[in-house]
Amino acid sequence: MEKAIKLKVRKELDGQQQFNIIKLKGSLISKGYTEIIHILDQDDDFHINSFETSFENTNEVQDFITAFINRENLADTISLYK
């Protein structure tokens, strides 16, 4: 069974924020949590990035994302979208 995870990402980012968002997405793929991340426009300010992961990995993935956001001070840039 697969579980969809969604991230709300601000569109206007500085260079460091862009680098950190790319690093997060690369980490999600390299750790085997997903193979592809889809990007859709939400509105003028935000994108919605979504991907599927196994149901068993859902909590681990969410914890990884939350820790990454906190470590890189990205709370105003990206968040888990529910």
Side-chain angles (χ1 to χ4, degrees), residues 8 11 40-47:
K8 185 175 177 179
K11 286 184 178 180
L40 298 171
D41 279 336
Q42 180 188 25
D43 54 32
D44 290 339
D45 298 319
F46 293 95
H47 293 290

Side-chain angles (χ1 to χ4, degrees), residues 33-79:
Y33 292 136
T34 190
E35 293 181 8
I36 188 165
I37 298 173
H38 305 278
I39 302 171
L40 298 171
D41 279 336
Q42 180 188 25
D43 54 32
D44 290 339
D45 298 319
F46 293 95
H47 293 290
I48 300 298
N49 291 209
S50 62
F51 62 94
E52 290 189 355
T53 193
S54 68
F55 188 75
E56 296 81 25
N57 284 339
T58 301
N59 290 334
E60 182 180 338
V61 171
Q62 290 175 337
D63 290 345
F64 175 80
I65 292 168
T66 300
F68 188 94
I69 290 169
N70 291 333
R71 184 176 61 250
E72 301 296 335
N73 297 315
L74 295 172
D76 63 337
T77 305
I78 186 170
S79 61

